C-alpha cells in the first residue's frame, strides 16, 4: 500500500523573538493536520512512501541514481547513505567528518559528502550535504540505502 506524506511550508503571522519571517516545515498527516493551523499553507509537497520492514520508505533519485531511503524525522542530516550505497552513488566527499552515536551508544566517525540534486516525490533540492550512515548490529539492520532526515523536512 502506498501512502503519502505532505510537507507544507507555512509562514508565521505572529512575530516572536528569533522567529520573525522564518519558514516552518511540517510533516503533515491526518492526525497532525488539525493541530497545525499556524497560517495559510503554501501548496503541499507530496512524497509517496511504502512501509518496508516497518519503516516509511521513499524512492529517491540522487544525481539520477535511484535509491531507497527511509524517513527519519529525528535524523540530524538531510541525507545519509550507507557505505555500500555511497560506492554506487555519485557523491563528492567534502573532507569533513562528524562523530555520531548509534542507538546502542557506540560511537562512529562518519564522512560528509555532497550531491548535486535529489528528487523525492514532488521534493527537489540542489547542492545537498549529507553523511554516511554507520550503525552497529545492535541497532538492527535495515534494507534501505540510507535515510532522509529532519533536514529534508525542515528545508
Amino acid at each position: 500500500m502506498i501512502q503519502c506524506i505532505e510537507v507544507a511550508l507555512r509562514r508565521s503571522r505572529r512575530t516572536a523573538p528569533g522567529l520573525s519571517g522564518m519558514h516552518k516545515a511540517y510533516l503533515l498527516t491526518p492526525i497532525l493536520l488539525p493541530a497545525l493551523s499556524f497560517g495559510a499553507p503554501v501548496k503541499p509537497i507530496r512524497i509517496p512512501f511504502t512501509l518496508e520492514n516497518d519503516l516509511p520508505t521513499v524512492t529517491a533519485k540522487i544525481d539520477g541514481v535511484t535509491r531507497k531511503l527511509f524517513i527519519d524525522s529525528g535524523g540530524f542530516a538531510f541525507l545519509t547513505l550507507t557505505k555500500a550505497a555511497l560506492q554506487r552513488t555519485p557523491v563528492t566527499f567534502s573532507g569533513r567528518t562528524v562523530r555520531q552515536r548509534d542507538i546502542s551508544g557506540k560511537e562512529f566517525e562518519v564522512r560528509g559528502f555532497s550531491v548535486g540534486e535529489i528528487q523525492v516525490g514532488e521534493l527537489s533540492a540542489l547542492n545537498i550535504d549529507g553523511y554516511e550512515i554507520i550503525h552497529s548490529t545492535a541497532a538492527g539492520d535495515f534494507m534501505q540505502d540510507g535515510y532522509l532526515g529532519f533536514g529534508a523536512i525542515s528545508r
Side-chain angles (χ1 to χ4, degrees):
M1 174 195 306
I2 294 181
Q3 300 175 22
C4 190
I5 293 174
E6 286 186 3
V7 178
L9 296 177
R10 295 172 178 259
R11 187 179 303 255
S12 171
R13 289 187 189 148
R14 292 181 257 199
T15 305
L19 296 177
S20 177
M22 187 175 180
H23 284 88
K24 297 284 186 180
Y26 295 100
L27 178 65
L28 300 180
T29 64
I31 296 168
L32 294 178
L33 189 56
L36 296 176
S37 59
F38 195 36
V42 177
K43 181 182 178 235
I45 298 171
R46 289 181 172 75
I47 301 174
F49 69 94
T50 57
L51 290 177
E52 295 181 20
N53 293 338
D54 295 327
L55 293 172
T57 302
V58 298
T59 300
K61 285 228 183 247
I62 301 171
D63 287 334
V65 177
T66 301
R67 293 283 164 252
K68 291 278 191 175
L69 305 172
F70 67 90
I71 298 170
D72 183 355
S73 61
F76 75 101
F78 186 109
L79 171 67
T80 66
L81 293 172
T82 63
K83 282 188 173 199
L86 282 169
Q87 293 173 353
R88 304 180 321 266
T89 307
V91 302
T92 302
F93 286 100
S94 63
R96 71 183 182 279
T97 60
V98 174
R99 299 207 53 86
Q100 292 293 314
R101 290 184 196 274
D102 69 9
I103 195 168
S104 69
K106 187 171 181 180
E107 193 170 281
F108 298 94
E109 185 170 270
V110 296
R111 299 175 293 170
F113 63 84
S114 62
V115 299
E117 181 179 19
I118 184 169
Q119 293 178 313
V120 184
E122 295 176 2
L123 171 69
S124 181
L126 300 173
N127 303 317
I128 299 302
D129 291 329
Y131 292 92
E132 70 182 321
I133 184 171
I134 302 172
H135 68 328
S136 69
T137 54
D141 273 336
F142 53 86
M143 298 174 56
Q144 294 82 352
D145 295 313
Y147 73 71
L148 281 178
F150 182 74
I153 297 167
S154 66
R155 189 169 182 137

